[in-house]
Amino acid sequence: MDELPEYQDDVPTGPSLPHDLTAESAFLGAVFVARNPRRVLLDTRLQAADFYHPANALIFQAVTALADAGQPVTPISATARLQQAGLLQRAGGPAYVHGRITGGVTAGADWLASRIHSLALRRQLIHAGSEIAAMGYDPEGDPADLAELAVSRVREVRDAGRAAEDSPVLDVHDFLAVNDEAHDWVLPGLLEHGDRIIWTAGEGGGKSVLQRQLAIAAASGAMPFSFDANALGPQKVLVLDCENSSRQTRRHYRELMNIAERRRSPVKRGQLHIDVRPEGVDLTRPDGRAWLMRRVEEVMPDLLVIGPVYRLHNGDANSEEHARKVTVVLDEARATAHCAISLEAHSPQGNGFGPRALRPVGSSLWLRWPEFGLGLRPVEDERSARDERARRVISWRGARDERAWPTWLRSGFDGSWPWRPYTPIDADPYSGYSATGAVA
């Protein structure tokens, strides 16, 4: 890396404190070369005080101010801002500022920021420990009071200035004063903005077809199990297919687009966006996360349709850590666009004893993460299951809210959605229970 500015009087002296100047320089370079510098700065949430070298802290302050003002974040604009503030020489001069771009790799920005913050926290602990030790050696003062001061000092290190970011803890009356009882629907009665739903089934069980049906219906302004008009009108939909090829995906969506057209609910340009990545995407890696967020930020969908789960990372399917990293990225996408997420997952292989389980295969985290978990299971009547593709819609987790998903689905007729609700011929008129799920 380039040499640091000649002046050293502002750098902490004494025994070498934990720091990594290479990481600091590389992070600043990552900001300069990022497609969206403001997103990098917001995601990493570093502060100027996290930087060990004052020159790096000043450059960080400059690029943060530029990003907040909506101005270009480049070495030229950062140099100009530092010069205007009279801080350019303290920041190492133009050559040092421009030199940061040489080490910029956006794929590693998260790791670099985490390392910078971790080392800053260690330095703060060292300083706090020195202060506490000095209080212990001081013969003045009440030991109990000094202990309280020590606890307070460590608490300051823990919060590290981030307590100001916390939202206030509200009195229950103030909390309930916000009127949000009205649902913020994407599909009335089915999906609300912010909902997360996982669909499961066996191989070829119809979950991908159902995902496509939801996408086309929402984008066309129709309801997904009828062609009744969605009272909210067309919704913006983003589909990220991480399993099927472009050719397969075009064939499937062309058929559904034609159905919507024939039923006078065409999908208008700008309502449905699709990206296909049959090799999958590893959302546990920074480049995979960036791939997803670029698409979400570009479209800002009401509904994100994505999956299947096993194509969203390359690690052990049973690893809770891998699953957690994937859910963190999906939740970031959900928060960024304030969208609903519809995700598909495979269910475990059957064991030959009783019906096949419908929970998602892999980490148990997938049982806890979504608001709704629904699976498609073939009905008991073999003819209906085979010829009509009749399915029970079974909830494999306790729903967090009331929704009106169909209990029974079967293949649609010509000109209708691929999946349509039905009532089994032996359904109880009061409870709806059917022992066979037989189609009339």
Side-chain angles (χ1 to χ4, degrees):
M1 59 176 287
D2 295 348
E3 291 185 2
L4 290 166
E6 291 184 0
Y7 73 89
Q8 297 292 323
D9 55 309
D10 288 328
V11 180
T13 58
S16 180
L17 295 170
H19 65 280
D20 187 338
L21 297 180
T22 301
E24 293 184 9
S25 181
F27 176 80
L28 294 173
V31 174
F32 282 136
V33 301
R35 180 180 178 182
N36 187 343
R38 188 169 189 272
R39 168 57 58 187
V40 174
L41 293 166
L42 286 174
D43 286 352
T44 52
R45 299 174 69 186
L46 282 176
Q47 299 180 19
D50 290 331
F51 288 82
Y52 179 76
H53 198 282
N56 295 334
L58 290 173
I59 297 172
F60 177 82
Q61 287 178 318
V63 297
T64 300
L66 289 167
D68 288 343
Q71 299 176 4
V73 178
T74 67
I76 295 174
S77 60
T79 299
R81 188 173 188 90
L82 288 163
Q83 187 172 33
Q84 184 181 18
L87 298 171
L88 183 55
Q89 293 309 309
R90 288 179 57 80
Y96 184 75
V97 176
H98 283 256
R100 299 319 91 214
I101 201 169
T102 59
V105 181
T106 55
D110 286 344
W111 183 88
L112 292 168
S114 176
R115 177 161 176 75
I116 292 167
H117 176 64
S118 295
L119 293 171
L121 192 58
R122 289 182 180 278
R123 294 195 298 272
Q124 293 169 28
L125 283 170
I126 291 170
H127 288 310
S130 298
E131 293 173 7
I132 292 170
M135 287 191 296
Y137 282 110
D138 190 344
E140 302 296 328
D142 182 86
D145 292 339
L146 293 175
E148 289 297 325
L149 286 172
V151 170
S152 177
R153 183 68 183 90
V154 173
R155 188 181 295 118
E156 290 175 6
V157 173
R158 179 199 65 188
D159 294 338
R162 283 160 170 76
E165 301 174 1
D166 294 343
S167 58
V169 180
L170 299 177
D171 179 87
V172 65
H173 295 283
D174 297 324
F175 179 76
L176 296 177
V178 178
N179 183 12
D180 56 3
E181 293 185 9
H183 288 85
D184 185 12
W185 293 118
V186 175
L187 291 168
L190 300 176
L191 275 179
E192 190 174 14
H193 285 90
D195 281 350
R196 299 165 296 187
I197 185 168
I198 296 180
W199 295 96
T200 61
E203 296 76 9
K207 56 189 179 300
S208 296
V209 176
L210 182 54
Q211 287 268 80
R212 292 191 284 267
Q213 182 168 322
L214 291 175
I216 290 287
S220 69
M223 293 301 291
F225 301 106
S226 69
F227 279 93
D228 296 337
N230 181 344
L232 304 173
Q235 304 292 295
K236 189 170 285 189
V237 180
L238 173 61
V239 174
L240 299 178
D241 190 327
C242 298
E243 185 173 44
N244 297 291
S245 69
S246 295
R247 184 189 298 268
Q248 292 168 325
T249 302
R250 273 192 289 270
R251 186 161 54 241
H252 293 313
Y253 274 96
R254 185 176 289 118
E255 180 182 352
L256 285 170
M257 291 279 283
N258 290 338
I259 290 174
E261 182 81 30
R262 288 196 298 269
R263 297 303 295 262
R264 299 183 180 180
S265 298
V267 176
K268 296 179 180 179
R269 181 170 292 276
Q271 293 304 129
L272 177 57
H273 300 261
I274 297 177
D275 199 356
V276 176
R277 191 157 171 161
E279 72 275 19
V281 58
D282 191 347
L283 296 183
T284 68
R285 293 174 52 85
D287 55 343
R289 172 185 171 280
W291 176 85
L292 171 64
M293 292 307 301
R294 285 197 302 272
R295 281 142 185 79
V296 169
E297 290 165 359
E298 179 180 353
V299 177
M300 294 299 283
D302 297 293
L303 173 62
L304 170 61
V305 177
I306 188 171
V309 165
Y310 83 99
R311 291 287 198 176
L312 300 184
H313 69 80
N314 294 330
D316 180 3
N318 295 312
S319 167
E320 181 137 344
E321 178 62 17
H322 281 98
R324 185 192 65 78
K325 290 180 178 179
V326 172
T327 61
V328 166
V329 180
L330 293 176
D331 281 334
E332 181 184 359
R334 179 179 65 136
T336 297
H338 184 49
C339 64
I341 295 180
S342 185
L343 177 65
E344 65 174 283
H346 289 300
S347 58
Q349 294 289 338
N351 57 14
F353 300 96
R356 179 173 180 167
L358 288 175
R359 62 173 178 80
V361 69
S363 169
S364 62
L365 180 62
W366 297 113
L367 296 172
R368 310 188 298 272
W369 179 71
E371 276 73 31
F372 307 98
L374 297 174
L376 304 180
R377 173 178 291 161
V379 298
E380 291 76 8
D381 180 67
E382 293 184 3
R383 183 197 64 80
S384 298
R386 180 187 65 250
D387 299 342
E388 307 292 341
R389 296 199 73 197
R391 300 289 185 265
R392 291 181 183 266
V393 181
I394 297 176
S395 176
W396 44 259
R397 66 146 296 148
R400 296 177 185 170
D401 206 344
E402 294 293 328
R403 293 294 189 269
W405 295 104
T407 304
W408 310 90
L409 291 174
R410 60 172 293 193
S411 291
F413 303 132
D414 290 342
S416 69
W417 293 126
W419 285 119
R420 61 185 294 268
Y422 77 100
T423 300
I425 57 175
D426 62 344
D428 183 273
Y430 301 103
S431 68
Y433 172 76
S434 166
T436 67
V439 177

